[in-house]
Amino acid sequence: MKKYEVAVVGQGPAGLSAAIYTARAGMSTLVLGCEPKVSGDYDIDNYFGFPETITGRELLERGKRQAKRFDVQMRCDRVLGIHPTENEEFEIKTETGKVRACSVILATGVSRIRPGIEDLSEYEGKGVSYCVSCDGFFFRNKQVMVVGEGIFAANQALELTQYTPHVSVCSQGKPLTMTESFQEKLQEAGIPVKQRKIERVEGNDVLERVIYDDGSEEAVDGLFIALGEASSLDFAYSLGVMRNGVFLQVDEEQKTSFPGVFAAGDCVGRFLQISVAVGEGAIAGRSAINFVKKQCREKGKS
Ligand code: FAD
């Protein structure tokens, strides 16, 4: 498995800025992620140094070219999960494989999609979960459902089969975006996929059933939300990183509560602007450099 000193999740301004710093400091750096939302033909009028304005696409292209000049490895690949290993590294599972890293910088922007299910928050921690690796164990041999339409949901459902054979997927009425190979994997594992929409959840003290938009119901003990692609919040849940609502909590050095994991840009929820993302990326990069030197190079792990 390929190993990097720094893995950056996110190819937006925060991630690219962080990678430029780590790579210029001689750290092997991988950036995962695809086209950020701002990489269209939007005029960016308020970013320092461009008096005639610049499009988001051009600004990001310039950032990528700059990062490549310092040997940053870049891949349009989505991260499905991040897990600490026994020797204090991180294993990063993506749609195309796995990599290892000594430190991780989360720069995923704000992409979390709300499922639009009534009363969902009432059952959080009482049947509703956002993290299979945290809560799957509590649903051994129980009836569980994953809400999501993409590879992230498929992967969560397959992970759940470690705990229970009673797993299904509900796309929340969305067309499936998971690849055929993942659909086949679900079929082989005996996991049915429903393209239905859950309107609300019900139970007494704990979750007992979902109610679909046609009024029919289905008994479930656990409902795992995994819409769209995995966000920084999903990684925060599985790593146990402290949060501030839907954002990641960081200190002034962009350190999260998990050693070796840093976060920058919109995912930490300060001022959602490119200039701030770039600045926070630089600080996260510097913190990752210090971490790698102390925790990996001095201990001979790089
Ligand atoms: P993003 O730019 O959102 O990048 C997130 C990255 O994370 C993407 O590459 C994405 O693919 C990746 N990612 C997410 N999940 C995963 C995963 N599971 N695995 C791998 N990668 C993942 N700001 C300004 O300052 N001026 C403006 O004029 C301006 N105009 C804007 C116009 C539009 C239309 C939009 C949408 C935003 C605009 N903004 C503007 C806001 C600005 O774009 C954001 O503040 C900035 O892009 C945040 O940077 P970021 O790196 O934190 O996140």
Side-chain angles (χ1 to χ4, degrees):
M1 194 185 311
K2 189 111 191 190
K3 195 175 146 184
Y4 296 85
E5 289 180 305
V6 182
V8 180
V9 189
Q11 240 186 61
L16 290 171
S17 167
I20 288 167
Y21 276 80
T22 57
R24 283 189 87 239
M27 310 259 145
S28 58
T29 303
L30 171 70
V31 179
L32 296 161
C34 301
E35 296 291 292
K37 283 183 230 111
V38 78
S39 63
D41 292 317
Y42 311 106
D43 276 339
I44 308 297
D45 234 7
N46 56 0
Y47 190 63
F48 177 82
F50 293 92
E52 282 85 32
T53 193
I54 183 166
T55 64
R57 186 192 309 282
E58 173 65 8
L59 187 63
L60 284 161
E61 277 310 318
R62 281 170 179 248
K64 278 194 205 169
R65 287 208 299 275
Q66 190 176 2
K68 276 190 189 143
R69 185 154 66 87
F70 302 116
D71 271 343
V72 172
Q73 303 298 300
M74 272 179 261
R75 205 156 86 201
C76 175
D77 194 359
R78 291 188 173 79
V79 175
L80 300 171
I82 303 172
H83 299 284
T85 65
E86 61 297 333
N87 58 344
E88 295 174 337
E89 293 174 343
F90 298 94
E91 187 174 283
I92 299 160
K93 187 173 182 196
T94 74
E95 288 185 0
T96 62
K98 284 180 185 169
V99 289
R100 279 198 176 214
C102 168
S103 71
V104 173
I105 298 175
L106 298 174
T108 54
V110 273
S111 60
R112 200 183 181 86
I113 304 159
R114 294 177 191 278
I117 299 173
E118 249 175 75
D119 298 334
L120 197 67
S121 56
E122 275 182 37
Y123 293 95
E124 281 172 9
K126 298 173 185 172
V128 171
S129 170
Y130 295 87
C131 177
V132 169
S133 49
C134 322
D135 299 332
F137 181 80
F138 301 116
F139 294 91
R140 293 186 308 282
N141 293 317
K142 297 211 167 158
Q143 195 73 45
V144 295
M145 186 182 277
V146 177
V147 179
E149 77 290 14
I151 292 182
F152 176 42
N155 192 60
Q156 294 286 87
L158 291 165
E159 244 186 69
L160 273 167
T161 58
Q162 293 169 34
Y163 308 104
T164 172
H166 313 296
V167 184
S168 66
V169 172
C170 172
S171 78
Q172 197 55 354
K174 292 172 189 274
L176 297 184
T177 58
M178 62 183 78
T179 56
E180 271 180 24
S181 103
F182 266 94
Q183 292 185 44
E184 276 162 24
K185 281 185 195 167
L186 291 178
Q187 208 173 7
E188 278 161 24
I191 300 173
V193 179
K194 300 152 203 176
Q195 288 194 44
R196 304 185 69 184
K197 191 167 187 313
I198 300 168
E199 196 165 84
R200 61 178 198 283
V201 284
E202 280 183 0
N204 283 316
D205 284 345
V206 293
L207 177 72
E208 289 173 4
R209 68 193 80 85
V210 297
I211 316 292
Y212 292 107
D213 59 354
D214 62 4
S216 62
E217 56 182 67
E218 185 170 340
V220 289
D221 304 298
L223 194 66
F224 288 82
I225 310 299
L227 281 159
E229 63 181 332
S231 72
S232 50
L233 264 194
D234 298 301
F235 306 137
Y237 281 122
S238 62
L239 289 165
V241 161
M242 306 257 287
R243 290 164 284 127
N244 261 337
V246 298
F247 298 111
L248 302 190
Q249 197 171 304
V250 288
D251 66 9
E252 68 284 357
E253 294 176 66
Q254 303 301 131
K255 291 179 185 166
T256 70
S257 58
F258 197 104
V261 179
F262 309 89
D266 283 5
C267 67
V268 306
R270 286 180 182 135
F271 183 27
L272 310 189
Q273 289 285 285
I274 295 170
S275 50
V276 177
V278 167
E280 288 179 352
I283 298 171
R286 184 185 61 178
S287 298
I289 292 166
N290 292 337
F291 181 87
V292 170
K293 281 185 183 159
K294 265 213 185 85
Q295 299 301 321
C296 305
R297 289 194 174 174
E298 277 179 20
K299 293 183 183 171
K301 286 200 265 163
S302 287

